[in-house]
Amino acid sequence: MINPPQGAILAVGGGEWKVVLGKVVINEDGAVENGKPGISTVMTVRLSADCRVIDEATAALFLGGLKEYLSQPKLLML
């Protein structure tokens, strides 16, 4: 539950090692090659937002930007 004056609550879970597929690569011939499976740290992030304060599209953009910064921390140094 979100109580005023809060507009949103961000819940960040701990990182866990999981088996994930590698990136999908398109070779020079245009064929799709699946990446090899590997181990990566995966974490969950949830955002509960009050739609009277924050639009759902804006909340989704925020989560997308947060994902980019967390997956590529070098971007924070620019």
Side-chain angles (χ1 to χ4, degrees):
M1 177 174 271
I2 300 171
N3 298 317
Q6 297 172 336
I9 298 173
L10 182 68
V12 180
E16 298 177 343
W17 287 0
K18 292 193 177 188
V19 177
V20 295
L21 293 177
K23 293 184 179 179
V24 175
V25 180
I26 299 175
N27 63 16
E28 295 174 356
D29 300 330
V32 176
E33 299 175 357
N34 290 329
K36 297 179 181 178
I39 297 176
S40 181
T41 303
V42 179
M43 63 183 280
T44 58
V45 177
R46 293 184 177 99
L47 180 68
S48 296
D50 185 351
C51 63
R52 296 172 294 177
V53 178
I54 300 172
D55 185 42
E56 291 89 354
T58 306
L61 287 173
F62 170 77
L63 283 177
L66 181 64
K67 177 186 173 189
E68 289 298 317
Y69 284 122
L70 291 176
S71 62
Q72 299 177 8
K74 293 181 208 174
L75 295 175
L76 293 171
M77 301 180 110
L78 296 177

